[in-house]
């Protein structure tokens, strides 16, 4: 069977949760990746973001984790930046729910982007979710201490209070 036929068969497979869903999405990401120059990193990212992180952390085999991490690192920086920009666009038009979803994906694909994590906290705050905002601002201070974002996050944590 060709890659296209294999991909179509996998797409039609019902399961999208748990181990079967994780395997399906990882295989679909790999098929797209194998297209070489014609690959679409956002398609790969879509498949990878469908994989439950809890499954990867707690239940996946070492081989699965290695492949997942390889795929994430191959598209991470580019895709993280695209989601970050999409989050900024949504934030500018005050669509905070969309901003949150995009910033979460930006952080998933580029965990070193302190601006994306800070923006996620801002979006939670603007959306009225004080608890999530405070939790995320705290993450900024823990993961990126002694940065401007950490200093600004401390100010918002104090402002949000208990």
């Amino acid at each position: 069977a060709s890659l296209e036929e294999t991909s179509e068969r996998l797409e039609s497979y019902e399961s999208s949760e748990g181990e079967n869903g994780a395997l399906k999405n990882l295989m679909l990401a790999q098929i797209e990746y194998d297209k070489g120059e014609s690959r679409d990193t956002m398609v790969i990212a879509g498949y990878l973001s469908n994989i439950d992180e809890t499954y990867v952390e707690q239940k996946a085999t070492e081989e699965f984790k290695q492949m997942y991490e390889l795929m994430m690192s191959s598209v991470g920086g580019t895709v993280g930046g695209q989601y970050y920009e999409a989050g900024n666009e949504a934030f500018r038009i005050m669509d905070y729910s969309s901003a949150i979803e995009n910033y979460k994906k930006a952080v998933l694909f580029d965990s070193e982007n302190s601006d994306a994590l800070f923006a996620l906290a801002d979006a939670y705050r603007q959306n009225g979710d004080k608890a999530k905002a405070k939790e995320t601002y705290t993450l900024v201070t823990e993961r990126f201490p002694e940065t401007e974002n950490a200093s600004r996050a401390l100010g918002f944590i104090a402002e949000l209070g208990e």
Side-chain angles (χ1 to χ4, degrees):
S2 72
L3 279 180
E4 287 298 318
E5 291 169 338
T6 303
S7 182
E8 286 172 17
R9 269 192 271 166
L10 281 169
E11 284 283 2
S12 70
Y13 185 61
E14 292 297 317
S15 178
S16 62
E17 296 177 11
E19 182 176 11
N20 290 335
L23 290 170
K24 168 189 164 182
N25 282 292
L26 188 62
M27 285 190 286
L28 287 166
Q30 181 66 51
I31 288 169
E32 184 65 29
Y33 181 82
D34 286 344
K35 291 180 181 177
E37 293 296 315
S38 67
R39 78 183 76 147
D40 184 337
T41 55
M42 291 304 285
V43 170
I44 296 169
Y47 291 132
L48 293 174
S49 65
N50 286 336
I51 298 172
D52 182 10
E53 282 185 77
T54 305
Y55 170 79
V56 176
E57 292 167 7
Q58 297 176 5
K59 297 179 182 174
T61 64
E62 280 308 307
E63 294 83 0
F64 184 97
K65 288 178 187 176
Q66 288 172 353
M67 179 60 76
Y68 177 79
E69 288 166 12
L70 176 69
M71 297 300 295
M72 288 293 280
S73 66
S74 75
V75 299
T78 304
V79 171
Q82 289 173 325
Y83 280 122
Y84 178 62
E85 288 307 316
N88 288 341
E89 285 299 315
F91 194 95
R92 274 193 276 282
I93 62 170
M94 295 185 273
D95 181 357
Y96 300 118
S97 294
S98 292
I100 288 166
E101 290 310 308
N102 281 293
Y103 289 141
K104 282 166 65 175
K105 288 179 181 176
V107 171
L108 172 69
F109 285 99
D110 185 2
S111 61
E112 296 306 307
N113 186 341
S114 68
D115 293 335
L117 189 60
F118 184 85
L120 175 60
D122 270 353
Y124 281 130
R125 183 173 54 86
Q126 292 295 335
N127 207 38
D129 191 339
K130 289 182 179 183
K132 274 291 206 188
K134 194 170 180 182
E135 177 185 319
T136 309
Y137 284 128
T138 302
L139 270 177
V140 171
T141 65
E142 292 169 354
R143 291 183 47 202
F144 306 102
E146 300 181 36
T147 63
E148 183 180 332
N149 283 337
S151 298
R152 292 172 56 211
L154 287 170
F156 283 117
I157 290 168
E159 185 181 299
L160 290 167
E162 295 300 315

